[in-house]
């Protein structure tokens, strides 16, 4: 009995409320920690207290490393910082980080799931010098084609916008880089569902996602294809050449002997690279692109345009512009019929 009463008393003790008396301090809690001590200095590990701010180059390198962050807000803010730095950078001076470092770090964001990140990424590459974009066209086009075949409609539409911008900035490099002509043509044929079978029969293929049912996306794809064919097939406008007049005697035909404006002018010969197949080949000549287009895609695109223009509306207008671009590009192509 005594032991049982003692246990009950101990249990009640936990729930008893302490009686406060006037003039006496409140009892301290059981987990109270005394913080009345004072120190002269505090040592912080892994933190630098310096009066010198990091350089712009170091800050840009740090922001580039944050592009792998899991938060889309952080990725967007890092891209915005880089865009501001590059846009306000004095022309003629080297960038805080070279384009050879920036472009490989940001090009994969073409496939980012956040629309704000993708739009900010486009603003960043648009702020880069055009010469740097032209030298990285092959890698940008590779990621653009991957985004064009994405399951998300928003990413596919955004990839078409990027391709249109690339064509306006470096159209010649887009259609003449390794794989830029054949692979992009086949990508468009797959997206639109146009495929030429053996025997010149036209058939429809299954498209990615909802591409076949979404008329707006198909119109966008056809308009971008028209711009792509215009860059690769239509003869460029005549440029100003160096005239060999009496003032340059004894130099004649100087325009044929000046240095090429293109870097690595003999890259299409592939002298030191691995063997390329037809898809990965570089087609720098307009005649070669016409020949490949006639063999691989002209019949399928013509049949697809015929089917698209029957419905009229935006789809019909897009088909008409595509037909115009194809006719202008192939008007001087000499077809050889094999009997």
């Amino acid at each position: 009995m005594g032991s049982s009463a003692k246990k009950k008393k101990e249990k009640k003790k936990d729930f008893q409320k302490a009686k406060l008396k006037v003039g006496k301090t409140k009892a301290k809690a059981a987990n109270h920690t005394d913080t009345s001590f004072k120190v002269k200095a505090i040592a912080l590990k892994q933190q630098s207290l310096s009066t010198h701010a990091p350089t712009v180059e170091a800050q840009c390198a740090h922001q580039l490393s944050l592009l792998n962050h899991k938060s889309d807000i952080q990725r967007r803010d890092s891209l915005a910082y880089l865009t501001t730095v590059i846009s306000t950078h004095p022309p003629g001076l080297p960038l805080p980080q070279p384009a050879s470092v920036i472009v490989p770090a940001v090009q994969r964001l073409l496939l980012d799931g956040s629309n704000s990140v993708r739009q900010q990424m486009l603003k960043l590459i648009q702020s880069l010098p055009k010469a740097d974009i032209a030298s990285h066209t092959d890698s940008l086009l590779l990621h653009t084609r991957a985004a064009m075949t994405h399951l998300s409609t928003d990413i596919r539409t955004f990839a078409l916008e990027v391709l249109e911008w690339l064509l306006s900035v470096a159209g010649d490099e887009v259609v003449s880089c390794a794989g830029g002509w054949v692979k992009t043509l086949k990508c468009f044929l797959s997206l639109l569902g146009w495929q030429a079978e053996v025997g010149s029969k036209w058939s429809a293929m299954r498209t990615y996602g909802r591409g076949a049912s979404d008329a707006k996306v198909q119109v966008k794809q056809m308009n971008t294809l028209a711009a792509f064919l215009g860059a690769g097939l239509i003869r460029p406008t005549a440029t100003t050449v160096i005239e060999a007049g009496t003032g340059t005697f004894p130099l004649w035909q100087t325009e044929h002997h000046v240095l090429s404006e293109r870097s690595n002018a003999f890259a299409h010969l592939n002298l030191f690279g691995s063997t390329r197949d037809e898809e990965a080949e570089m087609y720098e000549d307009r005649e070669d692109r016409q020949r490949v287009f006639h063999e691989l895609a002209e019949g399928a695109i013509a049949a697809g345009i015929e089917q698209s223009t029957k419905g009229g509306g935006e789809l019909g207008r897009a088909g008409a512009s595509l037909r115009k671009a194809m006719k202008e590009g192939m008007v001087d192509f000499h077809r050889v019929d094999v009997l």
Side-chain angles (χ1 to χ4, degrees):
M1 294 295 292
S3 177
S4 177
K6 185 178 180 181
K7 290 182 179 180
K8 290 181 180 180
K9 187 176 181 180
E10 290 178 354
K11 289 182 179 180
K12 290 182 179 180
K13 186 178 180 181
D14 295 336
F15 299 97
Q16 286 180 354
K17 186 176 181 181
K19 295 182 180 180
L20 302 178
K21 296 183 180 180
V22 179
K24 289 189 176 182
T25 59
K26 184 179 179 180
K28 296 181 180 180
N31 58 350
H32 173 73
T33 302
D34 185 13
T35 58
S36 60
F37 60 89
K38 295 181 180 180
V39 295
K40 293 183 178 180
I42 299 177
L44 299 177
K45 293 183 178 181
Q46 298 179 352
Q47 183 171 351
S48 175
L49 300 178
S50 176
T51 58
H52 301 287
T55 61
V56 178
E57 291 79 5
Q59 291 180 0
C60 289
H62 176 64
Q63 296 297 332
L64 286 173
S65 66
L66 292 178
L67 296 181
N68 296 322
H69 201 275
K70 62 180 180 180
S71 173
D72 55 348
I73 298 177
Q74 180 61 62
R75 296 195 301 271
R76 182 199 62 192
D77 293 344
S78 298
L79 290 171
Y81 175 83
L82 293 170
T83 305
T84 303
V85 170
I86 295 175
S87 301
T88 58
H89 193 71
L93 297 179
L95 297 175
Q97 291 292 331
S100 59
V101 176
I102 297 177
V103 174
V106 303
Q107 61 187 3
R108 56 180 180 77
L109 296 179
L110 278 166
L111 302 166
D112 196 275
S114 173
N115 182 48
S116 60
V117 174
R118 295 195 303 270
Q119 295 296 334
Q120 192 61 50
M121 176 265 174
L122 180 58
K123 293 179 181 178
L124 173 58
I125 60 176
Q126 287 176 345
S127 64
L128 293 173
K130 294 183 179 180
D132 294 334
I133 295 298
S135 59
H136 294 84
T137 303
D138 51 350
S139 60
L140 285 172
L141 188 59
L142 178 64
H143 287 78
T144 303
R145 286 197 300 266
M148 288 170 60
T149 57
H150 200 274
L151 293 178
S152 173
T153 305
D154 295 337
I155 295 180
R156 293 202 307 271
T157 306
F158 174 74
L160 296 174
E161 297 176 0
V162 174
L163 181 57
E164 289 180 350
W165 173 75
L166 282 175
L167 290 172
S168 64
V169 174
D172 190 25
E173 286 76 8
V174 169
V175 298
S176 61
C177 67
W181 183 244
V182 176
K183 288 185 178 180
T184 309
L185 277 177
K186 290 186 176 181
C187 182
F188 272 112
L189 292 178
S190 299
L191 290 173
L192 294 169
W194 300 344
Q195 180 67 21
E197 295 180 348
V198 179
S200 300
K201 293 182 179 179
W202 180 84
S203 64
M205 295 176 58
R206 178 179 295 181
T207 56
Y208 295 88
R210 298 177 56 190
S213 60
D214 195 348
K216 292 184 178 180
V217 176
Q218 189 173 359
V219 169
K220 184 73 172 178
Q221 291 168 350
M222 294 174 67
N223 290 332
T224 308
L225 177 58
F228 180 73
L229 294 181
L233 298 178
I234 298 178
R235 187 182 300 276
T237 57
T239 57
T240 304
V241 297
I242 302 175
E243 296 182 358
T246 57
T248 59
F249 181 82
L251 301 178
W252 299 96
Q253 298 179 346
T254 311
E255 66 276 9
H256 298 297
H257 303 284
V258 295
L259 294 177
S260 175
E261 297 179 355
R262 183 193 303 272
S263 62
N264 196 6
F266 300 100
H268 63 283
L269 299 178
N270 194 26
L271 298 177
F272 306 102
S274 58
T275 305
R276 299 195 187 107
D277 54 2
E278 185 183 32
E279 290 187 353
E281 190 61 48
M282 298 176 64
Y283 297 98
E284 292 194 346
D285 294 334
R286 174 172 171 265
E287 291 76 12
D288 292 338
R289 293 194 291 267
Q290 286 178 325
R291 174 182 55 81
V292 173
F293 175 76
H294 173 66
E295 295 175 356
L296 297 180
E298 185 177 11
I301 292 179
I305 292 174
E306 188 67 25
Q307 295 291 331
S308 301
T309 53
K310 290 181 179 179
E314 294 184 0
L315 202 61
R317 289 191 292 270
S321 63
L322 180 56
R323 180 188 288 113
K324 179 181 178 182
M326 187 173 65
K327 286 185 177 180
E328 291 180 357
M330 301 295 289
V331 64
D332 57 346
F333 177 69
H334 301 286
R335 295 172 174 82
V336 179
D337 297 330
V338 180
L339 299 178

